[in-house]
Amino acid sequence: MRFVAACCRAGLTTFCLGTSAYAFLVSVPFVHEQFLQPELVPALARFARWHGALSLFLAPLAAGALWPDRRHRAVMTTGPVLVWLLAMLGVAAAASSPLERLTPGAWALVLSGAALVPVAWLAVVDLALASRNTSAVSEDPIGHDAAVAAAAAALATSLSWLAAAIVPAAGAMPAAGVVQSVTAHAVLFAGLFAAVTMVRALSELGPTAARWRAIGALVLYASLLGVATARIVLTAVSQRAIGSRAAAFAFGAVLGLVLGARGLRRGAVDGDHDDGSDDVRLVFAGALPSWARSATIARRVGWGIALVGLAVAVRAGSMAMDWNFAVAKLGAVMLWVLALATCAAWVPARVPMPAPVPFALSLALLAAHLVAAGRVPWGPVTVEAAAGAGDAWAVHDAGFRALRDWLRPPTPDAAAPPADGEPGGVAFFDYLQANTNIGRSIEVAPVPVRLADLESTPATGRPPNVFVFAIDSLRRDYLAPYNPAVTFTPAIQRFAADSTVFEKAFTRYGATGLSVPSMWVGGMILHKQYVTPFAPMNALHALLRRHGYARWMSMDNIVNVIMPRDDSLDELDRGRDVADFRLCPSLDDLRGRLDRLGPDGPPAFVWTLPQDVHVAVVGREGKTSLDGEAYPGFYAPVASRVRRLDGCFGQFLDDLRGRNLYDESVIVLTSDHGDSLGEGGRWGHAYTLFPEVVQVPLIVHLPASIRGTVESAPASRVFTSDITPTLYALLGHEVTPPASIFGRPLVWRKGSAPPPGDTFGLMASSYGSVYGWLDDTGDRLYVADGVELRDYAFTLDGSAAGVPAPVTAEIRATGQRAIRAGVGAIAAFYRYP
């Protein structure tokens, strides 16, 4: 019966924690808009869809979990209430499916917290079952605690290293990184040892030391897990609001409460005090499976193998797909908890050790870490050398990555003077956060964007057809026109031969959520998803409507918001989920419409955002090469998909040529952003503005009738937000950008002066307060990461990842001043206070 009760408890706990996590994700607008609604993670979509029906099982699961202890007073008085409440809630959830209908806002956070109540309720029942007036105390608690901390540090570090050895990543493993990792883990567990010692000392001040010792250990454990969870999760979703902080902390704290209460109850029910251990040990050993507490060699070896397997699984999963290293860091915390539980259960109760020894060793380890991390001005290690070694080692060691981020001091505010109209005295990163992820509750009216006077230019002749292929996450170094080592894109190479290849093209936003709208606006926009109605700001749609274009478009979740639906729309990829958009089927769908492009019909504007090489799609499809080829020097799963779309693209262009449409059309091949594919241990794009994310392909083919009448500067710095102003110019309009935040035409009439240079180099993440500034030549990039509170600098030498450069005080001051002014310019234009 105990086994059945344990299974019921596990099912109830998993369901409630899953509900809490999902509701928290919904509370973050960009996560809801860009990931949950398009169902990019099918498992989450299925959970939300079945949540109502599954809620009917909550009451039976609670009853099953409590049944073996039904005669205990705590269960008799509170158990029926919990079961009744869950039965009522289950029926209500089954009838209304609240998770499917949940939208960002306060109610999502309320549900996230409320879902934790049944889990905490069961933990409190466990504490009641474990209550007693006396408990054993280790004969040498300081020696025992110090030994547990030392063993846990060694075990946690070893698990990270073993996982890295089994699932290796490219990159150097400098010896200085080893020292930083060892000392950082040692400092973590030495700090825990000091905190436990404080709990023991304070508990002795009261009349019931045993009870206060248990409460103190439990509060410490829950608080540490709450803080760790909040630090990782809030960073991953770029949230600082008090409600989000409370919800994330509560999730980790309740998990710690459950594990600690489980340990205390196990001590009372199973008689763990018989081995001389006390409540502190029981709390920290609560995460250990019951069978792993056995002293038999076979079971301990089996548990050790299971730990290594778990570490390997976490590493493999986080390397395949992660979000701002959240999976890797949460996995590291999980391994720390299990390492601590293992050592708390296995280390003998008596470890003779003079009391001053562990404290002296802790201070020595802290000093060693400060030296290794370059924090001692007169030490042998410089800050730059330590940072370089730490960055290289963090690629291989997820635990050290989390510790380094927590222990590293934040980037200083360069104290740049405020821009015009900007409130003085606002710290740099606080200012960025105030202008980032503007919530739905903050009403912002759209400001009309007019790139040109559309009515003053008479329409002459039939406008050219326009095809814009923005392939999500396509990196430019995976295309032959940008990288001579590429042999798998012959069609795009041929296309580039009679087109303009812009060598230094960049996205304005490091992810789809704001990158796509910026293309349609022709400039930068408020960091809000989204200002509605969006139509007044949609400069490209105004142009298409003025010239009578038929719109053949793939309507994903973003375009559905920013594009009006009218009679000019003919939807591509109808009936497909966004995650299933692929270039080949989209082109097949498009090919069936080409017969309409006769001289008497309206011109066509084509837009599609295929997901062939998006990191989430590649992960969902198994992270394998489609054709079995290795593609040395490239990430084979992506390279093989680029080869596939290249073939389809080439066939489509041949079809256009055969219909005499190729030289009558504007054809744009670009991307909304790039992706990290293992550089520096990074994967995906999330909040980052690393060179491989912001550098994109931009190849523009012009009709033969226009090609000889215009000129361009393909070696100059350009942005994807310049595409819309370029289309304005190609259709005969004189572009007059209303503010510096808008783009410029990429072409101009031959013989005339080029448009004024674009000196506005601001870039941003779509989902967090991460901003960058690119110099006028496109050769130097400064990034201020308001999520991790650090900054970077790069020299862009044409390679995918660029060359990291030291961030000097001058670079920091110049970059922060430019970013602050750029963000202020966006706020000023859109009248955001």
Side-chain angles (χ1 to χ4, degrees), residues 312-392:
V312 169
V314 169
R315 177 166 175 80
S318 64
M319 288 182 65
M321 182 180 175
D322 205 346
W323 180 267
N324 203 33
F325 303 111
V327 174
K329 292 178 180 179
L330 288 173
V333 172
M334 177 183 66
L335 292 174
W336 294 342
V337 168
L338 293 175
L340 179 62
T342 302
C343 297
W346 289 4
V347 169
R350 177 169 175 76
V351 180
M353 185 181 300
V357 171
F359 296 101
L361 286 175
S362 297
L363 291 174
L365 289 168
L366 177 60
H369 177 72
L370 293 175
V371 171
R375 304 285 180 78
V376 181
W378 58 85
V381 182
T382 64
V383 174
E384 291 78 12
D391 289 342

Side-chain angles (χ1 to χ4, degrees), residues 192 195-196 199-200 203 210-224 256 260 264 278-284:
L192 177 63
V196 169
V199 167
R200 290 188 183 279
S203 69
R211 176 173 298 176
W212 286 110
R213 187 166 57 246
I215 293 174
L218 193 61
V219 169
L220 174 64
Y221 192 40
S223 300
L224 291 176
L264 289 172
D278 64 7
D279 289 326
V280 174
R281 168 206 182 263
L282 292 173
V283 166
F284 289 108

Side-chain angles (χ1 to χ4, degrees), residues 675-711:
D675 250 334
S676 295
L677 298 175
E679 294 83 5
R682 305 183 293 267
W683 290 90
H685 39 279
Y687 307 117
T688 63
L689 292 178
F690 290 108
E692 66 271 15
V693 172
V694 299
Q695 298 182 112
V696 296
L698 180 57
I699 306 174
V700 180
H701 170 81
L702 299 179
S705 60
I706 297 177
R707 204 175 306 153
T709 66
V710 298
E711 54 185 317

Side-chain angles (χ1 to χ4, degrees), residues 70-82:
R70 61 191 180 280
R71 301 187 186 282
H72 192 280
R73 180 178 178 182
V75 176
M76 292 177 64
T77 55
T78 66
V81 177
L82 176 61

Side-chain angles (χ1 to χ4, degrees), residues 17-111:
L17 292 179
T19 302
S20 177
Y22 188 93
F24 179 83
L25 292 176
V26 170
S27 75
V28 184
F30 79 82
V31 175
H32 180 256
E33 295 279 356
Q34 309 302 334
F35 297 92
L36 298 181
Q37 279 195 327
E39 299 188 359
L40 292 183
V41 184
L44 289 178
R46 287 192 294 269
F47 177 70
R49 196 172 297 121
W50 286 94
H51 183 268
L54 293 173
S55 298
L56 293 172
F57 294 94
L58 291 178
L61 288 175
L66 295 170
W67 183 259
D69 301 302
R70 61 191 180 280
R71 301 187 186 282
H72 192 280
R73 180 178 178 182
V75 176
M76 292 177 64
T77 55
T78 66
V81 177
L82 176 61
V83 172
W84 180 82
L85 285 174
L86 290 179
M88 297 299 100
L89 291 172
V91 171
S96 61
S97 297
L99 223 57
E100 276 193 290
R101 305 190 317 179
L102 198 61
T103 57
W107 282 113
L109 288 176
V110 169
L111 178 58

Side-chain angles (χ1 to χ4, degrees), residues 38-40 577-582 611 617 620-621:
E39 299 188 359
L40 292 183
D577 292 334
V578 175
D580 294 327
F581 286 4
R582 300 291 183 274
Q611 304 292 304
V617 171
R620 192 177 69 173
E621 293 178 347

Side-chain angles (χ1 to χ4, degrees), residues 411-417 428 782 809-817 820:
T411 294
D413 190 327
F428 175 67
Y782 170 78
E810 180 182 0
I811 289 175
R812 177 173 292 126
T814 302
Q816 290 190 7
R817 186 180 301 113
R820 184 187 282 260

